[in-house]
Amino acid sequence: MIAYFRNANISFFISGAILLSLTNFCKAQDSLSLKSSKTNERWEVKWLSQFPKADSKNQKRDTKQQIKDFVFGRKRQDLNRPVSSLVDKQNSMWILDQENNCVFQMINNQAKIPRFIEKKNKNFASLVGICSYKDNELLFTDSYSNKIFVVNSNKKDCRILNDSLKLNQITGIAYSPLTKEIWVIETGGHMLLVLNEKGEIIKKIGSRGSAKGEFNFPTHIWIDKKGNVYVVDAMNFRVQILNKEGAVISVFGTNGDATGYFACPKGIATDSYGHIFVADALFHAVQVFDIYGNFLYRFGSQGQEEGQFWMPSGIYIDEDDKIYVADSYNSRIQVFQLITGGKK
């Protein structure tokens, strides 16, 4: 979770994250397909596109320049360090850029900072989580100001959800249309907060620890169509799955340096088949599990080419099983497609 906060110790980054970034840390075997044990069907992940395009000035930075950018930052430009993204019902992509401290909206392959957002809120310091909300609105979090923001692009409005909330380093956020609830990760409090649509806290789940239902710096969250809640319990190096009432369904994962383990788990999402996708920043890859936590496959390796990553962060999967990965230190969003491959 250290990567989320701007006042993190820089020596830790250099000795840990950068060192691991310059090696092919993951010892796993690459595989771009999986096989269902129940239906004997196969799926594949196909690279589709990226934003910005590969010939952009944001791309093809050599390793030396990447390290300078990592330590000293980069000038504000089109896209610097995307950490989360989603695509709304109008097919518009929204991107949280933690280096630029801003929200981008991408329309027709062009990203712009909506003036109505920047005009009212110029002090975003640590953007982390974003999700769809009711009435085609969006929610996103700023872990530094500890505020939840509501964006209505049709009305050109950006407001704070319940300014009276007292929060402690909030990061991931998700909304459940089934229960009309907003689930927020309070990383500093090692718990989940469940809010109603007014932004009032109606339930608190968890405390610090390593038992089921306890958390150690949780960070990212996802809610599927059934209302099940998927939480990246980052410093316990695991994923916890809860039902819509908050009871733990299952827990899987442990720390390690090979396939099926976690080193720095971040974004999480599920596809229409129930597969669980977890981006791991230090593996430079996305790993995929079934609902029981069985490892299925992974895609990605360290690099700047198509399908490669440098410390990926957020992940989003739309209703058509398109997979959007925030390839943070390559300064881009990569888009993949999960496709069926028939029987085998």
Side-chain angles (χ1 to χ4, degrees):
M1 54 79 64
I2 303 175
Y4 295 109
F5 304 111
R6 302 179 62 83
N7 60 350
N9 190 307
I10 192 66
S11 65
F12 179 88
F13 278 108
I14 295 174
S15 62
I18 292 182
L19 178 61
L20 291 171
S21 297
L22 299 179
T23 64
N24 192 359
F25 182 72
C26 186
K27 300 177 182 178
Q29 178 182 358
D30 255 338
S31 176
L32 291 180
S33 66
L34 65 91
K35 178 180 177 182
S36 170
S37 59
K38 293 184 178 181
T39 64
N40 203 34
E41 292 181 340
R42 296 188 69 89
W43 292 263
E44 288 185 300
V45 172
K46 178 183 178 181
W47 186 90
L48 290 182
S49 62
Q50 69 178 48
F51 177 83
K53 294 182 179 179
D55 58 355
S56 166
K57 62 184 178 180
N58 282 343
Q59 302 300 315
K60 304 301 181 183
R61 294 175 293 142
D62 60 25
T63 300
K64 186 176 181 180
Q65 184 60 47
Q66 287 179 324
I67 294 175
K68 286 183 179 180
D69 293 342
F70 186 93
V71 176
F72 300 107
R74 300 172 65 193
K75 294 181 180 180
R76 185 181 176 113
Q77 50 189 340
D78 287 346
L79 205 63
N80 275 340
R81 192 181 350 139
V83 294
S84 299
S85 68
L86 64 77
V87 177
D88 64 22
K89 293 183 179 180
Q90 285 76 43
N91 203 34
S92 176
M93 184 188 295
W94 295 80
I95 304 168
L96 301 186
D97 192 312
Q98 204 169 74
E99 183 68 26
N100 279 329
N101 302 326
C102 68
V103 181
F104 284 102
Q105 182 183 19
M106 191 176 81
I107 304 175
N108 298 324
N109 294 319
Q110 290 191 347
K112 296 182 179 180
I113 302 172
R115 291 183 179 179
F116 72 91
I117 296 179
E118 189 167 55
K119 184 178 180 180
K120 292 185 178 180
N121 305 279
K122 297 182 179 180
N123 298 313
F124 300 131
S126 185
L127 298 171
V128 180
I130 187 170
C131 71
S132 298
Y133 190 40
K134 62 177 184 176
D135 302 325
N136 295 324
E137 294 181 325
L138 306 174
L139 299 172
F140 66 89
T141 62
D142 184 334
S143 69
Y144 185 83
S145 67
N146 284 309
K147 299 297 183 184
I148 300 169
F149 295 88
V150 184
V151 171
N152 188 316
S153 58
N154 293 330
K155 296 181 179 180
K156 306 297 182 184
D157 180 57
C158 179
R159 68 184 191 277
I160 295 173
L161 178 70
N162 190 0
D163 196 21
S164 66
L165 279 175
K166 303 298 181 182
L167 305 170
N168 185 4
Q169 293 179 336
I170 55 171
T171 51
I173 189 168
Y175 174 70
S176 174
L178 287 178
T179 61
K180 311 294 184 184
E181 294 172 342
I182 303 164
W183 289 59
V184 185
I185 292 183
E186 194 178 64
T187 300
H190 311 283
M191 70 175 65
L192 312 180
L193 302 178
V194 183
L195 315 179
N196 60 24
E197 292 181 339
K198 295 180 181 179
E200 300 166 336
I201 297 175
I202 57 177
K203 186 185 298 184
K204 296 182 179 181
I205 300 172
S207 58
R208 192 170 193 178
S210 58
K212 289 183 179 180
E214 295 180 336
F215 303 97
N216 189 18
F217 293 104
T219 54
H220 289 76
I221 189 170
W222 176 269
I223 299 179
D224 66 18
K225 291 183 178 181
K226 297 179 180 179
N228 292 327
V229 182
Y230 303 77
V231 180
V232 174
D233 190 5
M235 297 308 291
N236 278 327
F237 303 97
R238 65 186 183 182
V239 170
Q240 296 202 56
I241 306 175
L242 289 67
N243 64 20
K244 59 186 178 182
E245 285 78 31
V248 176
I249 298 174
S250 64
V251 179
F252 68 89
T254 189
N255 184 220
D257 63 353
T259 291
Y261 294 85
F262 293 126
C264 185
K266 290 198 171 186
I268 189 167
T270 60
D271 63 20
S272 62
Y273 300 95
H275 306 133
I276 304 165
F277 291 65
V278 183
D280 196 302
L282 294 187
F283 283 169
H284 312 288
V286 176
Q287 299 194 92
V288 187
F289 304 84
D290 66 19
I291 191 65
Y292 306 105
N294 297 313
F295 172 78
L296 299 175
Y297 73 117
R298 66 179 284 270
F299 61 95
S301 60
Q302 184 194 354
Q304 293 179 273
E305 301 302 321
E306 295 178 359
Q308 295 183 319
F309 304 109
W310 190 29
M311 299 185 74
S313 181
I315 185 168
Y316 172 78
I317 302 177
D318 67 16
E319 293 183 354
D320 297 320
D321 286 329
K322 286 184 179 177
I323 306 159
Y324 301 80
V325 181
D327 189 7
S328 294
Y329 284 91
N330 278 326
S331 303
R332 63 185 178 181
I333 302 293
Q334 294 201 65
V335 186
F336 302 82
Q337 178 70 61
L338 185 71
I339 56 177
T340 58
K343 303 279 186 177
K344 184 172 179 179

